[in-house]
Amino acid sequence: MPPFLSNTLPDTMRAMVLHRPGEALRLERRPLPRPAPGQLLLKVEACGVCRTDLHLVDGELPDPRLPIIPGHEIVGHVVALGEGVTGFVSGQRIGVPWLGWTCGRCRFCTSGRENLCDAARFTGYQIDGGYAEYSVADARFCFPLAHGAALEQAPLLCAGLIGYRALRLAGDSRRVGLYGFGAAAHIVAQVLRHQQRPFYAFTRPGDTESQDFARSLGATWVGDAGQPPPARLDAALIFAPAGALVPAALRHLEKGGCVVCAGIHMSDIPAFPYADLWGERMIRSVANLTRQDGLDFLELAPRVPVRTAVTAFRLEDANEALARLRRGALQGAAVLAMG
Ligand SMILES: [Zn+2]
Ligand SMILES: [Zn+2]
């Protein structure tokens, strides 16, 4: 063991590992990872369960590195620093997001769009993530976090960041529709209320639980995804992976408005008449995050203040958490608590 690893650390850790898409994650004992130069070793306290993890497990994302430990909403504290790390200290609370590494040289990295880096690597996809007791991460992509409830911070790191980026891409739209009222939407809803912008929550037909939840967070209107809202929307943020929502949202959009697709995967988008797009309406996607998105959102969140609704699961119950997310049987966000 190099000198920077405390001798109080164990030699092994428990982790939930994906070997093949379509299979359940397996609980395994793994050697404790060592921080390479520039990396932090953290003891994971909590890791959010994101819909992207579900797409990974279900084989809907291309070319994952296998076997892989999923999880990219990691909250933990630093237990060892790799050579050359500056700006972090042992014991510090940190967050590790989806964007795990970028090349720093491509045309995207050098123009403030590192989220589009050609060679980017992502936590829990190409880099082992947080469904484990320990994890290593490139310090340059980690965020310092205040000490507080780790469980409630975890969803901020993807649902929060991606939701915030989606909202930013919708500009200063006044009336905002939220399609799919899960982890991301319940955070964006609080930001919208803080900014005194009315929001309209669309859920699966008959999902009265999510509708009540949206109402409790201040929705101006709630309804089924097929229902028309009482006013035209200036923007619609789509967090559910259903392509049919795109033309549905477009039909309720004001001229010049924008439909923002915030998920990494979506079923095919059905054809729609050009007249629905006419009037300078736009459809766009959100891909990943930049570190600046993270810094900006994590600075804003305590001022709102964003309070996340979480359902906690044990590490070994990650498959159950994913199954609940797949069925839509969760309010807010699922989070693994490492205990
Ligand atoms: Zn790059
Ligand atoms: Zn995510």
Side-chain angles (χ1 to χ4, degrees):
M1 283 264 175
F4 50 77
L5 280 186
S6 151
N7 55 14
T8 60
L9 292 173
D11 296 330
T12 63
M13 65 172 190
R14 294 182 315 139
M16 293 296 283
V17 183
L18 178 70
H19 285 265
R20 273 230 321 253
E23 290 180 3
L25 306 180
R26 291 187 221 159
L27 180 63
E28 293 180 1
R29 194 157 277 285
R30 287 258 186 123
L32 199 69
R34 291 169 166 218
Q39 287 185 328
L40 299 170
L41 172 65
L42 61 144
K43 185 168 194 327
V44 179
E45 293 167 68
C47 184
V49 176
C50 174
R51 183 167 292 283
T52 297
D53 304 338
L54 195 54
H55 293 313
L56 171 75
V57 169
D58 289 346
E60 290 164 335
L61 301 186
D63 308 320
R65 198 209 73 195
L66 295 171
I68 186 83
I69 301 171
H72 56 270
E73 296 181 303
I74 312 173
V75 176
H77 58 270
V78 177
V79 291
L81 291 82
E83 218 176 295
V85 171
T86 54
F88 290 94
V89 295
S90 199
Q92 184 173 0
R93 166 73 63 82
I94 59 167
V96 184
W98 170 243
L99 188 71
W101 187 89
T102 57
C103 79
R105 292 191 307 272
C106 73
R107 54 191 298 227
F108 298 107
C109 282
T110 53
S111 60
R113 296 178 292 165
E114 63 181 354
N115 59 309
L116 303 178
C117 174
D118 287 327
R121 289 182 217 144
F122 300 102
T123 311
Y125 186 23
Q126 285 95 21
I127 302 169
D128 277 333
Y131 287 20
E133 291 171 322
Y134 292 83
S135 190
V136 288
D138 187 322
R140 296 170 303 166
F141 293 86
C142 296
F143 299 114
L145 293 176
H147 281 277
L151 274 181
E152 281 138 45
Q153 287 175 327
L156 301 179
L157 288 156
C158 182
L161 296 191
I162 299 291
Y164 180 65
R165 184 172 176 84
L167 182 60
R168 265 229 280 236
L169 294 186
D172 56 5
S173 306
R174 173 120 191 100
R175 290 190 291 267
V176 179
L178 302 175
Y179 283 77
F181 206 83
H186 98 287
I187 294 172
V188 172
Q190 295 174 57
V191 173
L192 285 164
R193 184 158 78 165
H194 173 71
Q195 296 172 336
Q196 301 181 313
R197 296 152 85 183
F199 67 92
Y200 302 73
F202 298 78
T203 72
R204 298 183 203 214
D207 184 355
T208 51
E209 249 180 282
S210 295
Q211 293 180 0
D212 290 345
F213 185 39
R215 218 176 268 117
S216 75
L217 291 172
T220 295
W221 174 90
V222 299
D224 296 349
Q227 278 177 271
R232 283 200 169 271
L233 305 171
D234 298 308
L237 313 186
I238 302 187
F239 295 110
L245 293 175
V246 175
L250 199 56
R251 272 196 298 277
H252 304 310
L253 211 57
E254 181 57 281
K255 283 179 286 190
C258 187
V259 175
V260 183
C261 304
I264 193 168
H265 171 83
M266 193 179 245
S267 56
D268 287 351
I269 300 171
F272 55 86
Y274 179 58
D276 289 351
L277 186 63
W278 177 249
E280 301 195 343
R281 294 176 178 88
M282 290 169 280
I283 301 172
R284 68 177 304 174
S285 65
V286 167
N288 315 314
L289 68 134
T290 66
R291 281 172 279 181
Q292 195 59 49
D293 292 326
L295 294 172
D296 293 348
F297 174 67
L298 292 170
E299 191 271 323
L300 171 67
R303 289 192 288 116
V304 169
V306 173
R307 305 222 185 278
T308 54
V310 300
T311 305
F313 294 85
R314 296 180 306 172
L315 173 63
E316 54 269 41
D317 296 330
N319 289 308
E320 170 61 17
L322 289 164
R324 293 262 302 265
L325 183 60
R326 190 184 286 110
R327 291 199 305 269
L330 281 168
Q331 288 312 329
V335 178
L336 305 182
M338 302 316 158

